[in-house]
Structure formats: C-alpha cells, structure tokens
Amino acid sequence: MRLLVTGGAGFIGSNFVHYWFRQVSRLGEPFVVVLDALTYAGRGENLESLEADVNLYFVHGDICDRPLLDQLLRQYDIDAIIHFAAESHVDRSIAGPAPFIQTNFVGTFTLLEAFRVYWEEQQSPAHYRFIHVSTDEVFGTIPPEIASVTEDYPYQPNSPYAASKAGSDHLVRSYYYTYKLPTIITSASNNYGPYQYPEKLIPLMILNSLQGKPLPVYGDGQQVRNWIYVEDHCQALVQVLLKGLPGERYNIGGHTEIPNLELVEQLCDRIDEAAPQLPMRPCRKLITFVKDRPGHDRRYTLDSSKIRDELGWLPQVSLAEGLDRTITWYMTHRTWWEPLINIPKDDFY
C-alpha cells in the first residue's frame, strides 16, 4: 500500500513510519509519503535514519492546505492515509485553544474532503483506507465503578484538546455514513517511548531526573492513566490498516492502569539503577507537587477486547520493559533532547 502519513515527523507518527519500514520491507517495497508542518513537536531528525530510503518522501506542509493535499494524493497514487497530525498537549490547549481547532478539526475536515474527492475519482476502490488516530481523552474522566470503556461509551471531552479531537472523530464517522468513505477511527491510551517531546510526563521526568531538576506532579498525583508503549500502538495500527473494517472504531489500550505518582516513583527507581552519575540520588527526592491544571481528568481507561477478538492484537511490551527501553533511549540520545530542555516552567504534561 502507498501511504500518506500526516504528522509523520511527530512522536507516534515517526515511530509508525520506522515500524512500517522495518516490518513491511520483509514482505515487499514500503512506500510512504510523510506530510508534516514541523511545528515544535514535529522534527525532521525523527526520520533521519530513514532518509536514504528511496521510497520515503518527506513533504513540509499543512493538512489545511487543500491544493497541496490534492497534489500529493494524485502525484503519489496514495492508497491509504494514516492521520496522526494533531495538536495534542492539553496544557497548551488550555492556554491557547485556537490552533487545536484549526489543526484537529479544520485540518481533519480538509483532509477528509481531499481524500473523498480523490477516492471517488478513482471509482471508490474498496482497499483504500482513511485511518484516523484519536485518543481516550474524548471519553472524559471515567468513574471508578466502570472497569474500562468500550468504543460506544459516550463522548464527554473536558479540555479544548479533547473537544477538538471529539469533533474530528464525529467528522470522520460522518464521512463513512454519508459518503461510504472507508474510514476507521482508533482511540489510544497514553503512549510513551522514543522521540516523545519532553513536555510530556514520562520524558519530562526522565530528563529532569538526569539533570537533577524538580519532578512536577500535578495535584495529589492520583490521576489514573492507562499506558501503552508506542511500538505496541504501531503494531495495532498496522492490524487496523490491513484487517480493520471501514466504519468501525477500535480502542488501543495497554494493560497497565496506574496513578501518575506511582508511575513517577517507578521511573525514579529505574533511573536510579540505570544512571549511576545522577546529580541527585535517589530521584524520589526530586518529586515536587504543583497546582493541578484546570479540568484535569481523574481517570482514563480503555477496553481493548474488540481489537483483540476481531483483529488478534495484544500489547507485547510490559510497563516495566517499556520504561526501561524509554529510559535507555533518552540516556543514549542526548543530542536529540538537549536542544529541547528549556521548556517553560508552567508547561508540564
């Protein structure tokens, strides 16, 4: 399949491109066009090791640019779009929601329209796909009496970011039911792993620990999250692309539900073992409780039984293994993150 990957220089997008080239190259010739606006979290460096591949094409551009989308779809004979491009940091959406509406909602609409017209021009091929990568945050905070939420749980977004993604989800769904465009929506839980921008919880804690800086924990630290190693997410997306049914939605969640404070404590203990030359030991001494952010959801958790039962996917990487891999990656890629460490003190995760 000839893929257009939007946001392919960002965290999850670049991991997906790396995974696609590793896996698909065993079966045939992978062909990927990456479209990325290279905002603060999208970095060309994330794809540097693939630059020599003749079947990877990088385009610096915006998903709101309709003429550019029309050109790319036709020039490269695209079969499928994997749509990662999004503004995704909740704190930034609270401080300034406008870019979230523009990219996440208007951008998704522009992409859908371009793909619909192109698909219809090609006589509506059955194998074409539009995979829309969404988030568990569209469901809002999950009460403790509910074990986990399935794909049909009501939407209750509580931040401008979550609302912008919920709106784009509804657009994607409508294009399937109105035009029969072969769209699929996935909702993932919290991702972590290589290439994640340091404002997010896990890389922020790793890098601050390595530098002896405070480890900011919102409120009481008892916000519960479900975590998935990014490569497991990529494996799930490949299954959705190749075997998922148009019009369906699939939850992609890890099997680990843990409060933020407990996660930070586990990270501290693992960093203590992995990095003997720390400025402050043990790292737990660096934990600092800070004022909670507005509208902070207390708990997210996804039921992934549908993708397990229908597509045969299960996460393979445990939280312990994933944290160790992630710590090692940041410790061995200082040149990647050192230019990014001057993050404003009020931008946490």
Side-chain angles (χ1 to χ4, degrees):
M1 300 183 76
R2 302 167 70 88
L3 304 186
L4 173 62
V5 180
T6 70
F11 163 45
I12 305 176
S14 63
N15 274 280
F16 177 85
V17 174
H18 281 279
Y19 182 79
W20 183 257
F21 272 86
R22 286 199 309 272
Q23 298 302 312
V24 177
S25 61
R26 302 173 184 176
L27 306 174
E29 286 288 330
F31 187 99
V32 176
V33 179
V34 169
L35 174 63
D36 200 295
L38 295 182
T39 56
Y40 73 97
R43 305 182 68 204
E45 297 95 322
N46 295 355
L47 299 172
E48 275 184 350
S49 64
L50 296 172
E51 283 181 349
D53 198 294
V54 296
N55 288 326
L56 174 65
Y57 300 85
F58 177 80
V59 179
H60 183 194
D62 194 323
I63 59 171
C64 294
D65 185 343
R66 176 63 186 274
L68 175 61
L69 297 177
D70 291 340
Q71 174 194 335
L72 295 178
L73 291 169
R74 291 161 180 80
Q75 177 181 348
Y76 293 106
D77 298 322
I78 297 299
D79 297 305
I81 293 177
I82 316 296
H83 179 32
F84 294 100
E87 296 284 345
S88 64
H89 189 43
V90 174
D91 284 13
R92 291 178 184 266
S93 82
I94 294 170
F100 289 76
I101 304 305
Q102 181 66 21
T103 298
N104 299 356
F105 190 77
V106 177
T108 300
F109 164 72
T110 307
L111 195 62
L112 282 165
E113 266 294 278
F115 191 62
R116 178 185 68 83
V117 173
Y118 167 71
W119 176 70
E120 290 175 350
E121 286 177 357
Q122 304 301 314
Q123 306 301 312
S124 308
H127 72 280
Y128 278 26
R129 291 291 183 271
F130 185 108
I131 311 298
H132 177 63
V133 181
S134 190
T135 171
D136 57 2
E137 297 193 35
V138 298
F139 300 121
T141 191
I142 308 304
E145 63 271 16
I146 296 178
S148 57
V149 299
T150 60
E151 288 79 0
D152 57 0
Y153 191 80
Y155 277 37
Q156 301 176 90
N158 291 322
S159 70
Y161 161 62
S164 69
K165 290 297 287 186
S168 65
D169 289 2
H170 291 316
L171 273 176
V172 173
R173 182 181 186 275
S174 76
Y175 268 65
Y176 171 75
Y177 282 97
T178 301
Y179 305 108
K180 301 306 177 187
L181 192 69
T183 65
I184 302 175
I185 300 170
T186 63
S187 293
S189 54
N190 283 38
N191 277 236
Y192 68 101
Y195 302 112
Q196 189 169 29
Y197 196 75
E199 67 190 353
K200 298 291 188 175
L201 174 59
I202 287 178
L204 178 67
M205 297 302 159
I206 294 172
L207 301 190
N208 279 15
S209 295
L210 295 177
Q211 300 169 86
K213 294 181 178 180
L215 307 181
V217 175
Y218 278 136
D220 61 4
Q222 295 306 304
Q223 301 88 358
V224 174
R225 298 293 183 263
N226 180 267
W227 293 90
I228 182 171
Y229 188 63
V230 65
E231 186 172 288
D232 276 337
H233 186 191
C234 295
Q235 291 173 344
L237 290 171
V238 170
Q239 294 296 97
V240 170
L241 173 63
L242 300 181
K243 299 195 293 186
L245 297 179
E248 291 293 336
R249 180 184 193 114
Y250 299 95
N251 284 347
I252 302 172
H255 287 168
T256 302
E257 191 174 312
I258 186 172
N260 285 346
L261 178 58
E262 185 178 339
L263 176 68
V264 172
E265 291 172 341
Q266 285 195 26
L267 272 169
C268 286
D269 295 344
R270 293 181 177 279
I271 294 168
D272 286 339
E273 293 181 10
Q277 303 300 322
L278 291 170
M280 170 68 74
R281 301 179 65 87
C283 289
R284 289 192 185 211
K285 290 183 178 179
L286 296 170
I287 294 175
T288 304
F289 292 94
V290 298
K291 182 181 178 181
D292 209 352
R293 72 182 177 206
H296 199 176
D297 288 331
R298 197 67 172 171
R299 177 174 176 252
Y300 301 137
T301 182
L302 292 177
D303 182 336
S304 300
S305 58
K306 179 177 179 178
I307 191 172
R308 178 197 66 205
D309 296 341
E310 296 184 8
L311 305 186
W313 174 84
L314 281 172
Q316 303 298 310
V317 181
S318 68
L319 181 63
E321 181 185 351
L323 291 180
D324 286 342
R325 287 191 194 181
T326 305
I327 291 167
T328 299
W329 190 87
Y330 282 96
M331 287 179 61
T332 56
H333 288 77
R334 294 187 69 94
T335 56
W336 184 90
W337 57 262
E338 281 179 338
L340 308 177
I341 59 177
N342 295 318
I343 300 170
K345 64 180 180 180
D346 57 345
D347 273 346
F348 295 139
Y349 50 88

